[in-house]
Amino acid sequence: MSSKDVILDRVRAALVHSRAPSEIPRDYRRGSVPADLDLLVERLEDYKAVVHRAAEVAAAIEKIVPAGTVVVPPGLPEQWLPSSVDVLVDDGLPADRIAAADGVVTAAAVAVAETGTIVLDASPDQGRRIISLLPDLHICVLRPDQVVASVPEAVARLDPRRPLTWISGPSATSDIELNRVEGVHGPRNLHVILLEEA
């Protein structure tokens, strides 16, 4: 008898007296608490993101990028973009052109107030993952109705078959001596425009 057979026999013997697992409840922490926008802002700022509460997207973008070139996904609303910037619509742009841009503007799928996390799901107004990773500046526009209180609520809104990008602040990591290094896995600068009623 091989060692493998011995181990498998022991596992089978241990399972003889166990009972089948019951249904795991998945209805915890959903919708019981309204999303706290101030908490989201606090968490985002704690992660070194810059939050702009604004009623008009184009004016807010113009304050962040007064001039230059921004990459945008093909489904981003045109009225969000100020006339002062040059717009590169990502219709399959090569990586070097995306990286050379001054920034990228996207929408979002959902945001979690509790964790300060924004999720992109590659919808037409969010685009390919690459555009949110290569430019040094990411401007993300977020509507209040996209903010949920907890991670389970966010997961319930998302389609797991889509490519999901979870963002909690600008890209940062630490080396072995715990020195913070920014911009290794994505943009060093994250600006979030949280839309407010005009």
Side-chain angles (χ1 to χ4, degrees):
M1 181 179 270
S2 71
S3 297
K4 177 183 172 184
D5 293 330
V6 170
I7 292 170
L8 290 175
D9 284 344
R10 288 180 184 168
V11 170
R12 286 184 197 100
L15 291 176
V16 166
H17 301 293
S18 66
R19 56 189 172 113
S22 60
E23 183 72 23
I24 299 171
R26 300 284 185 197
D27 58 350
Y28 49 88
R29 297 186 67 191
R30 288 198 182 139
S32 58
V33 178
D36 183 345
L37 297 180
D38 292 329
L39 178 62
L40 173 68
V41 170
E42 180 184 316
R43 296 285 200 257
L44 286 168
E45 289 175 344
D46 190 46
Y47 287 134
K48 309 288 188 253
V50 178
V51 180
H52 308 265
R53 293 181 108 155
E56 218 282 305
V57 177
I61 291 174
E62 192 167 26
K63 287 180 184 175
I64 301 165
V65 184
T69 303
V70 294
V71 175
V72 300
L76 195 79
E78 288 181 26
Q79 66 270 23
W80 283 6
L81 302 167
S83 58
S84 60
V85 297
D86 294 322
V87 176
L88 275 177
V89 177
D90 178 37
D91 54 3
L93 292 170
D96 59 337
R97 287 197 67 197
I98 296 169
D102 297 300
V104 59
V105 180
T106 71
V110 68
V112 183
E114 183 176 67
T115 62
T117 304
I118 297 170
V119 186
L120 309 182
D121 69 359
S123 290
D125 60 357
Q126 297 156 50
R128 298 184 299 157
R129 180 177 287 156
I130 192 171
I131 69 171
S132 68
L133 298 176
L134 289 183
D136 199 40
L137 167 67
H138 181 185
I139 302 169
C140 186
V141 182
L142 189 61
R143 297 186 322 269
D145 65 321
Q146 293 176 300
V147 181
V148 296
S150 66
V151 173
E153 291 173 83
V155 170
R157 287 192 183 195
L158 296 167
D159 181 348
R161 296 168 295 187
R162 297 189 67 82
L164 302 176
T165 304
W166 296 68
I167 303 167
S168 292
S171 170
T173 191
S174 293
D175 63 17
I176 196 165
E177 295 176 353
L178 299 181
N179 295 316
R180 183 179 168 98
V181 181
E182 297 177 343
V184 176
H185 309 105
R188 287 183 297 156
N189 301 290
L190 173 64
H191 286 250
V192 178
I193 299 174
L194 183 56
L195 290 177
E196 294 185 328
E197 295 295 325

